[in-house]
Amino acid sequence: MSRHRNVRSMNYEDEYYGYDDSYGHSVEDDYCVSPATAAQFMYNRDQTHSLFSYMDTGEDIPEEESDSDHEPLTDSRNYKRPQLNDVDEARLNSCLEEIRNIIGDSTPEHVLIDVIMQHNFSYERALNAILSQQEKPKPQREPRAKRRTRQEEPKVNTDLKLGPPPATNNAGARPKVKDSDLDLNHVSEGLARKTFSSSKPTTKRFDSPVEELKTHTVEKDAIRRIKTDTDLLRLERNSVGSSGSTESLPQKVEEAMNGISATPIPKGTSRSKQDRVDLEKEYEKRKAGKELLNLVVIGHVDAGKSTLMGHLLYQLGHVNKRTMHKYEQESKKLGKASFAYAWVLDETEEERSRGVTMDVAQTRFETAHRVVTLLDAPGHKDFIPNMITGAAQADVAILVVNATRGEFETGFEAGGQTREHALLVRSLGVFQLAVAVNKMDTVDWSPDRFNDITKRLGQFLKQAGFKENDVAYVPCSGLSGENLTVMKEAALSAWYNGTTLLERIDLFKAPERATDKPFRMCVTDVFKGMGSGFSIAGSVEAGNVQSGDRVLVMPVGHSATVKGVLIEEGPVPCAFAGDHVALIVTGIDMATVHIGSILCDPSQPIKAVSRIKARVVIFNIDVPVTKGFPVVFHYKSLNEPAHIKRLISQLHKSTGEVIKKKPRCLMKNSNAVIELEINRSVCIELYKDYKDLGRFMLRYGGSTIAAGLVTELVEGKSARGD
């Protein structure tokens, strides 16, 4: 407390010694100012002052005249919406949303409602009416000086006196009006030269035999439009010259002056009605060109899938040298120089830093006879659900195996992904397979190593259901680029005379597409793009779609309108089964569309159920499958928890006959008919109707335990848990 003693004992009077006694004075009054000057300019506290003494007592400031020309602003706050039934209310809300997407919120709501109801909920006619009202020029505010002297101005002269008609030879005959006799430019000038003047009315005489023309007041904008719109007046001139009658000219000119803003606008036609595509011609045109092929690349982790396909794309010219050089420099900085070609497909920062593909990469390239959509699937066992999503969209597959000694055995033996990936693609409907024996340069292009790998793989693939004629083996090297597009290595060409990898891809056969069936599209991504609406990406499983189509989003049951169709970020007129597209849609909330949803034809929607009957094939499992067994249901891009509701029967592997009804459990490598209950409703089709939409996979404990085909939809429980 010692530091506070000086403060407690301080004498405040000593501190303020020397200050002026009078409050408000900071300096001594030692300046030389006369009393008269001080009284005039200095403030004296002893006197009482009035603020009025400091105010100017001159003339009052004139107030501005209120502008009474403009109409009061309309307000929708006190507007009560009309009472409508549920159907009309939904139609009204739909029209309001569509119109606001185009014109925004500048127009009050009650104006929009009135216009929509006047046009009987027609979105196109109501929009044309609103836009035509907005195009009318707004009355301009006159200058202040003119408004003040408005009452003093003389009346506007609107009379145009025309010369007397010349005498006619016959009483009943009138002379024809020639083009030279009727100068329309003079007419427009005469209409435009009505001035505000106190002099005598201006007269204008014409050589044509026209009676005296009287007009009404014309706004400046109408006069300007009459002067510029010569086509309308020339049309009147031609009609006068051709008919030989001039009696209707004053009436037509007056209509052109006073009713120019009321000229009927041609009825707008929606883009969907104008640009409807002839689907048959478009499909025939596509069939005449290169066939579409969806290719998925699968294999064990670190087999070199991304490097192999990235180098192939580089050799095809899809990646320029500058970008490739950039990838090489950046990968060297991270200590992953051998991953440079993999970065062509692995675009995310996490994939590049970890050196592992995590999601399905998609790109497009062409061969001599095919347009190939490439799907690079992940090989790590933690991302098998993403691999199933890519394999479910594929027509053919490339199985990449590592020829390095020890690496092939790791991926092929139990616990590796080579076997599981081959079983998955075969169960999902892929029948054609190319085996790329990668990294052959690490074994010096040894033919013995190549033959050993093909022999062991051939036996397994035959057991998995692949035919020998549908499987081909190609030795290659993804890092060096050997035998991808060209064979240059002498050590390889000494014993291998087969095709390159690109030639093998070109030899794949494109499957038949279900273009004649109702539209079905599986959603793989939902994102917000530029402009109105949002984008839904996915693969078209059946049917076709084009701009203007109405689609139904299941299982939520909401409808939407397709505003655009994009393939590889480029607009196309339409899309068919097998295409990977992005649809720009409006009329639906983005939050209601999820990955795994199905877009379908509103007239023939897909069914949403939570219980199905299916024929399944049990793979190598450690624990027998019993009633109530929990599984993960994988279907296209969807995965949902489920459980075995019933074991109906066990079937013979070859004939499919029932060998046992209501079995207590199912062992490995057995066929059976089961009833599966899914926790939430999913959109699914019967295998006999849509093969691609009738397949699914079952997984348990991180491994695939069964593959199934849907045989029956049990609709009794379809309303559960959405």
Side-chain angles (χ1 to χ4, degrees), residues 1 27 88 216 357 370 469 499 532 627 657:
M1 296 296 293
V27 294
D88 292 343
H216 300 284
T357 302
R370 301 287 184 267
N469 297 332
T499 62
S532 62
K627 179 181 177 180
E657 297 178 355

Side-chain angles (χ1 to χ4, degrees), residues 329-580:
Q329 297 300 321
E330 292 179 355
S331 60
K332 285 181 181 178
K333 293 180 181 179
L334 296 178
K336 300 178 182 294
S338 61
F339 286 77
Y341 291 106
W343 283 19
V344 175
L345 295 172
D346 296 341
E347 297 180 347
T348 64
E349 183 178 354
E350 186 175 4
E351 287 179 328
R352 292 180 175 182
S353 61
R354 295 177 59 177
V356 176
T357 302
M358 302 172 62
D359 203 353
V360 179
Q362 179 178 329
T363 187
R364 195 180 182 97
F365 66 93
E366 294 187 11
T367 64
H369 305 93
R370 301 287 184 267
V371 177
V372 182
T373 300
L374 176 63
L375 303 168
D376 183 26
H380 199 280
K381 63 180 181 179
D382 292 343
F383 308 110
I384 287 291
N386 295 341
M387 179 267 167
I388 295 176
T389 300
Q393 305 173 37
D395 305 320
V396 296
I398 293 180
L399 177 62
V400 182
V401 296
N402 191 346
T404 306
R405 301 188 186 277
E407 293 293 334
F408 168 74
E409 288 75 12
T410 302
F412 185 70
E413 300 299 334
Q417 301 305 311
T418 302
R419 289 174 174 266
E420 185 175 5
H421 282 203
L423 287 173
L424 283 171
V425 295
R426 179 61 186 86
S427 302
L428 292 172
V430 174
F431 299 97
Q432 303 176 70
L433 185 69
V435 180
V437 185
N438 193 21
K439 303 184 182 181
M440 283 291 293
D441 53 340
T442 60
V443 294
D444 298 328
W445 304 98
S446 171
D448 297 334
R449 179 62 174 170
F450 178 77
N451 294 331
D452 180 43
I453 291 174
T454 56
K455 181 179 179 180
R456 299 176 64 179
L457 268 179
Q459 295 176 355
F460 168 74
L461 295 177
K462 186 176 181 180
Q463 295 176 357
F466 288 99
K467 298 179 180 179
E468 293 184 4
N469 297 332
D470 294 333
V471 180
Y473 301 89
V474 180
C476 57
S477 174
L479 187 61
S480 63
E482 179 62 28
N483 204 31
L484 299 184
T485 57
V486 181
M487 187 190 307
K488 298 180 180 179
E489 184 66 37
L492 175 62
S493 59
W495 57 269
Y496 178 76
N497 55 2
T499 62
T500 63
L501 184 62
L502 184 64
E503 293 171 349
R504 179 63 249 179
I505 295 174
D506 193 52
L507 292 176
F508 280 129
K509 299 177 182 179
E512 293 292 331
R513 309 291 184 186
T515 56
D516 56 341
K517 294 185 177 181
F519 172 65
R520 299 287 188 269
M521 173 180 164
C522 183
V523 177
T524 58
D525 194 11
V526 182
F527 56 94
K528 186 74 173 75
M530 301 296 292
S532 62
F534 60 96
S535 298
I536 301 177
S539 59
V540 181
E541 304 294 342
N544 54 76
V545 64
Q546 60 177 309
S547 298
D549 285 353
R550 297 285 293 179
V551 295
L552 188 66
V553 181
M554 293 294 288
V556 295
H558 296 172
S559 61
T561 303
V562 179
K563 295 297 183 183
V565 182
L566 305 177
I567 296 180
E568 287 295 313
E569 300 181 358
V572 294
C574 59
F576 297 94
D579 290 336
H580 292 262

